[in-house]
Amino acid sequence: MRVVVAEDSVLFREGLVRVLRDGGFDVAAQVGDASALHRAVIATKPDVAVVDVRMPPTQTDEGTRAAMEISERHPEVALLLLSQVVEAKHALELFSQRPEGFGYLLKDRVLEIDDFLDAVRRVGRGGTAIDPEVIAQLFGRRRADDPLAELTPREREVLSLMAEGLSNRGICDKLVVSPKTIETHVNGIFTKLGLTPAADDHRRVLAVLAFLRS
Amino acid sequence: MRALRLAILAGGIALGVEAYRVQIDNLGPHTTPERSWAIVIGAWLFLVAGLVAWSRRPTNRLGPLMAAAGVALLLRQLRYSHDSFLFSVFFVVGELSYWTVAQAVFAYPSGRTTDRAERALIKVGYAVTFVFTVAILVFYDGSKPLRFFDPTRRDSLINIAGHGDVAVTLQKAFVISVWGVLAAAAIVLLIRKLVRATPRARRMLAPLLIAAITVALRAVFESVFTFVQQPSNTILFDYLFWWQIGAFIALPLALLAGLLRARLARASVGDLVLELEGTPPQGIGPALARALGDRTLEVLYWLPERSRYVDTSGRAVELPKYADRAVTRLQHEGQPLAALVHDPSLLEEPKLVEAAGAAARLALENARLQAETRAQLEEVRDSRVRIVNAADEERRRIERDIHDGAQQRLVALALQLRTAQRRLRDDSDPEVDSLLAAAVGELQVAVEELRELARGVHPAILTEDGLAAALESLVSRSPFPIELDADEGRLPAPVEATAYFVACEALANVVKHSGATNAKISAQRQNGLLVVTVEDDGVGGAQTNNGSGLRGLVDRVEALGGRLRVESPTGGGTRVVGEIPCAS
């Protein structure tokens, strides 16, 4: 899988590139600002662009804006945004513009290298990777009379992982339980929340996010 | 002095009656009771007006001068007597009375004639009149009747040369020179005086001077009749007589009017005290202007700190140095307080200006203090806002520095360690692996703590997306459900930040101290205010003065001109309400 990395902090960028190369990715370009990113995308036609949200000159949301531009001009390029802080509001806004091949993670998620590499692959294949922090925030804003209250703690855990973008298989690995058990949990969640069960991973994520954002 | 004035008044009344009698007894058909009374009454008015002025302003020479003119005008009528002594004396003295009147007119209102031309005219007038009348008497032998007299014979005590034609010719020359030339010169000087006067002085002078001009004009006409034959038409002659009488009566009345005006002005100074009570600072100037009858009056306030005068709007002003404006400085306890810039004619009534200044002093002092305090308050308010803004700016900078500096580096460092750990995994001993894992774990905690710290300092979402988004983010991290009702739309950064920190601190108190299970945050715009409310159903009893973070927020909210209230009855939940003005 061909990857482009846009990150202004050289130290972190190099670490990131090393992790990706060690994980078997072809890092076609590494750049430090938005305009270089545009050129690199055009030149290398990557499968995934890993982009820092804050970049020079203003250090506010250059990365986000550059990513959204790429999303419009080159929809075939999957996007993984990395940020020092994540806000559910931003995540939902971005996700509603770009529901497929999209990820939004805290930078420190890179430290869990296997999970991170999984997320890059998932996004590259058109899946999603939403930061657990975002999911926690979405849970946090629930009203008191919430259907979520009916979920068991285990079911909540499974729901969070589903919302992050993990497949049943991924959830199995993560929670170290059998696929059969996960399937039971997933069905239980869908029934309690009144969602239509969906086989497709990313449609499933959409349904869960739609529920959480309502 | 009062006794003297009363004696003069009594003597004047008696003299008037005598003057009337002399006219009626001696002029025969050349006068009528009405005419004789009119002349006496005109003279009496001079006398009374003079005595009133004298008692009101004992130091002003104008009063005695007017009274003297009145007496002289009465004495003048004694010349019609057939008694040789009375005729001779008052033929000379009587004519001088007109110059006493002129002297009074030119001396109004100060009592002194300062203009050189005016003084010269009066001196020449007295001298010429005296010389001519004495000369006439030297030649008058009764053979030819004198002008203005009945034809009957009178005897001059100093008839030395005895030539009737010469006497008549001399009288003609006298009328032309005194009543014609000098009266015309008086008219010129009176008009000049009017033109030169400042607007306020002109208002005061006009009635008197116009009456005086009228008298002088009549005199000029009289001299014209010495060339053309005395009109046989007695109606025209009557007109001239009543013109003169009317103007003569108008003269003392104008003086009285001027006096009355000054009394009115003093009465209005009394009103000023009452009026100024409760007058806002900007109303003091107009009130003083009304009281002193000078519409051009301005009030300037002394600011000791800046050692200069400012006008009502606080603008620095230089005191005028030109002759067309006069300045009266008002002091309080030896310190300059204010200055009145006014018409120079007010300088003639320093007592009046002083009285007005004294009456207004308290109000002026208040106004000055108010102006000063307001200026200082404004400065303090501005500086509080600047401090809050500077603190916010600093917080934003720190937040950026944490994210882009320390946090960034720690993540990169952790990533290096993690990479090292993975590469060493297969061939290193398990202790190294677990050490590295622990180091990465510690760094992750540190990064997480830095993130929380930065959020507490100044959440990025507040700058980027505004208050509603920041509150939403705040609420979504709370340990229990919180109802949020926040208006979308951006407000000035200090307002948003203040409202956010109020909500943040209040919510922290809810979580830490209240034991509440439900809470609600709202942030809404109402009538130019942003009202942020945090309420819970907890134990209550919260205060702003017990060292809680709310104390600092009270200052912060007030710096922006707002208010922060805490309603927290024990056991009745807590309600924190911040109201922050937002210009929108």
Side-chain angles (χ1 to χ4, degrees):
Chain A
M1 221 175 242
R2 196 201 297 270
V3 182
V4 166
V5 175
E7 162 65 61
D8 60 306
S9 155
V10 179
L11 198 61
F12 182 68
R13 186 173 72 212
E14 280 171 355
L16 191 55
V17 168
R18 195 178 298 124
V19 166
L20 287 168
R21 287 199 171 133
D22 287 357
F25 286 90
D26 166 19
V27 180
Q30 40 178 315
V31 297
D33 62 65
S35 55
L37 172 61
H38 284 297
R39 288 195 299 274
V41 165
I42 291 166
T44 64
K45 301 198 182 309
D47 300 303
V48 185
V50 180
V51 182
D52 181 10
V53 163
R54 289 202 204 192
M55 277 195 291
T58 67
Q59 299 288 2
T60 53
D61 62 346
E62 274 81 6
T64 312
R65 280 188 279 121
M68 285 303 112
E69 248 171 79
I70 291 169
S71 176
E72 254 171 53
R73 294 193 204 165
H74 313 281
E76 71 285 358
V77 179
L79 293 166
L80 177 56
L81 295 181
L82 296 181
S83 177
Q84 297 281 20
V85 281
V86 295
E87 294 290 350
K89 179 186 165 71
H90 292 166
L92 291 179
E93 275 168 13
L94 295 168
F95 194 76
S96 64
Q97 289 177 50
R98 172 86 194 201
E100 294 176 32
F102 175 78
Y104 180 70
L105 295 175
L106 276 174
K107 278 190 178 172
D108 11 335
R109 303 297 175 207
V110 179
L111 298 174
E112 303 310 324
I113 290 176
D114 292 329
D115 287 350
F116 175 70
L117 293 174
D118 271 351
V120 180
R121 275 187 215 107
R122 199 160 67 235
V123 169
R125 286 198 307 266
T128 52
I130 306 296
D131 198 279
E133 168 80 16
V134 171
I135 308 302
Q137 284 182 38
L138 293 175
F139 273 110
R141 73 170 64 160
R142 303 311 303 168
R143 301 174 306 272
D145 57 340
D146 208 291
L148 286 178
E150 292 177 28
L151 300 185
T152 65
R154 196 58 162 180
E155 281 171 341
R156 272 170 170 270
E157 217 170 339
V158 172
L159 179 64
S160 293
L161 294 171
M162 278 164 63
E164 282 170 34
L166 266 59
S167 62
N168 281 7
R169 179 70 199 278
I171 298 172
C172 288
D173 293 350
K174 196 110 192 163
L175 299 181
V176 202
V177 289
S178 72
K180 189 92 182 132
T181 319
I182 290 302
E183 220 164 289
T184 315
H185 285 314
V186 169
N187 286 336
I189 292 164
F190 274 75
T191 313
K192 281 180 184 170
L193 301 186
L195 294 170
T196 319
D200 190 323
D201 276 353
H202 100 255
R203 285 233 312 272
R204 194 171 67 158
V205 174
L206 280 183
V208 172
L209 280 180
F211 174 79
L212 286 175
R213 97 166 55 144
S214 64
Chain B
M1 287 307 259
R2 192 178 147 80
L4 175 63
R5 283 195 295 271
L6 283 175
I8 292 173
L9 180 64
I13 289 168
L15 184 60
V17 173
E18 176 62 13
Y20 173 76
R21 199 192 57 74
V22 167
Q23 289 178 80
I24 293 295
D25 288 357
N26 293 283
L27 286 172
H30 273 245
T31 188
T32 62
E34 301 88 65
R35 287 182 174 212
S36 299
W37 275 130
I39 291 168
V40 169
I41 288 168
W44 273 349
L45 280 175
F46 263 94
L47 178 64
V48 170
L51 291 175
V52 170
W54 191 353
S55 82
R56 291 272 165 237
R57 300 188 187 179
T59 54
N60 190 322
R61 275 179 55 200
L62 189 63
L65 210 52
M66 292 291 289
V71 171
L73 284 170
L74 288 172
L75 289 173
R76 181 175 183 269
Q77 300 307 313
L78 299 183
R79 70 184 184 156
Y80 295 117
S81 169
H82 282 80
D83 178 89
S84 304
F85 176 77
L86 289 178
F87 166 71
S88 301
V89 169
F90 293 108
F91 185 80
V92 176
V93 173
E95 290 300 90
L96 295 176
S97 66
Y98 288 119
W99 291 105
T100 315
V101 171
Q103 208 181 337
V105 168
F106 280 115
Y108 181 83
S110 67
R112 292 189 186 281
T113 317
T114 46
D115 185 81
R116 282 175 60 185
E118 290 171 4
R119 291 167 77 115
L121 175 71
I122 289 163
K123 277 183 196 158
V124 169
Y126 273 119
V128 168
T129 304
F130 183 78
V131 169
F132 266 112
T133 48
V134 168
I136 290 166
L137 286 184
V138 166
F139 289 96
Y140 178 66
D141 59 0
S143 60
K144 289 271 174 69
L146 289 165
R147 270 179 91 82
F148 316 121
F149 282 76
D150 63 311
T152 58
R153 181 197 169 97
R154 290 171 178 77
D155 289 318
S156 163
L157 286 180
I158 51 167
N159 174 12
I160 302 160
H163 200 294
D165 283 332
V166 174
V168 169
T169 307
L170 274 173
Q171 196 182 21
K172 217 176 212 176
F174 167 64
V175 168
I176 290 164
S177 61
V178 174
W179 292 39
V181 176
L182 292 181
I187 291 174
V188 170
L189 290 182
L190 286 169
I191 289 173
R192 190 185 69 153
K193 198 176 170 82
L194 258 184
V195 170
R196 284 186 178 176
T198 59
R200 179 179 178 276
R202 197 176 298 143
R203 282 207 307 280
M204 307 283 287
L205 284 173
L208 184 78
L209 295 191
I210 287 168
I213 289 169
T214 312
V215 170
L217 262 179
R218 158 69 172 76
V220 173
F221 272 119
E222 191 63 50
S223 76
V224 170
F225 288 133
T226 58
F227 291 105
V228 299
Q229 199 52 44
Q230 178 91 22
S232 54
N233 186 342
T234 54
I235 292 175
L236 182 62
F237 193 72
D238 263 7
Y239 274 139
L240 282 173
F241 174 82
W242 288 113
W243 175 354
Q244 183 181 18
I245 287 298
F248 247 99
I249 288 176
L251 265 180
L253 287 182
L255 180 101
L256 269 182
L259 271 177
L260 214 60
R261 235 186 139 103
R263 288 199 65 186
L264 274 177
R266 251 180 296 197
S268 60
V269 167
D271 294 341
L272 187 64
V273 178
L274 296 176
E275 194 184 335
L276 286 176
E277 215 174 322
T279 298
Q282 63 274 21
I284 295 173
L288 273 170
R290 274 196 301 281
L292 294 174
D294 177 6
R295 269 169 286 178
T296 65
L297 184 134
E298 287 173 274
V299 178
L300 303 179
Y301 298 96
W302 175 256
L303 288 194
E305 284 173 13
R306 292 194 237 165
S307 291
R308 65 185 316 167
Y309 286 97
V310 295
D311 64 12
T312 326
S313 65
R315 204 160 37 91
V317 185
E318 293 294 328
L319 291 182
K321 293 187 182 71
Y322 309 107
D324 62 335
R325 304 293 285 155
V327 176
T328 300
R329 289 176 168 81
L330 302 177
Q331 298 204 326
H332 179 53
E333 290 171 356
Q335 297 297 311
L337 167 65
L340 305 180
V341 179
H342 54 78
D343 192 298
S345 70
L346 273 177
L347 291 176
E348 284 152 12
E349 296 173 84
K351 286 258 166 61
L352 182 66
V353 181
E354 267 172 42
R361 200 183 61 206
L362 201 62
L364 287 169
E365 176 74 14
N366 277 338
R368 192 178 65 80
L369 285 176
Q370 260 187 45
E372 221 176 349
T373 311
R374 202 173 297 132
Q376 286 169 350
L377 202 65
E378 201 64 31
E379 260 169 52
V380 171
R381 197 161 24 222
D382 287 353
S383 98
R384 278 176 94 181
V385 171
R386 281 197 301 276
I387 289 169
V388 166
N389 289 348
D392 278 353
E393 190 45 52
E394 196 59 11
R395 279 165 168 260
R396 269 192 291 276
R397 198 185 61 72
I398 291 171
E399 182 260 345
R400 272 200 308 273
D401 284 358
I402 291 175
H403 284 320
D404 302 333
Q407 200 182 337
Q408 187 96 287
R409 277 172 191 283
L410 289 182
V411 173
L413 182 59
L415 189 54
Q416 282 179 328
L417 288 176
R418 178 70 89 203
T419 312
Q421 183 199 2
R422 280 170 75 91
R423 294 207 176 162
L424 290 171
R425 190 184 289 163
D426 300 331
D427 47 25
S428 86
D429 63 286
E431 206 171 330
V432 173
D433 186 68
S434 68
L435 270 176
L436 287 174
V440 172
E442 279 304 307
L443 284 172
Q444 274 177 297
V445 172
V447 167
E448 188 53 43
E449 279 176 359
L450 275 180
R451 182 155 38 234
E452 287 306 315
L453 179 64
R455 201 193 332 275
V457 168
H458 199 284
I461 191 169
L462 180 60
T463 319
E464 288 164 18
D465 298 87
L467 181 61
L471 289 178
E472 206 173 292
S473 172
L474 179 69
V475 162
S476 70
R477 293 170 212 279
S478 146
F480 55 86
I482 288 167
E483 203 178 319
L484 174 67
D485 183 7
D487 285 352
E488 297 285 340
R490 301 301 301 263
L491 289 168
V495 176
E496 286 191 333
T498 303
Y500 176 81
F501 288 119
V502 166
C504 207
E505 183 61 36
L507 191 59
N509 287 346
V510 170
V511 172
K512 272 189 264 174
H513 308 299
S514 75
T517 52
N518 281 297
K520 184 182 172 188
I521 298 180
S522 81
Q524 257 136 8
R525 260 175 283 180
Q526 292 169 8
N527 310 320
L529 289 174
L530 174 65
V531 182
V532 53
T533 312
V534 180
E535 38 194 334
D536 67 50
D537 59 355
V539 295
Q543 288 175 337
T544 52
N545 55 3
N546 58 1
S548 78
L550 282 175
R551 176 63 248 175
L553 285 170
V554 169
D555 289 344
R556 194 188 160 112
V557 171
E558 285 175 357
L560 297 183
R563 282 194 315 153
L564 185 68
R565 308 197 294 277
V566 177
E567 298 157 11
S568 188
T570 304
T574 300
R575 187 178 145 91
V576 176
V577 183
E579 291 170 326
I580 307 157
C582 56
S584 59

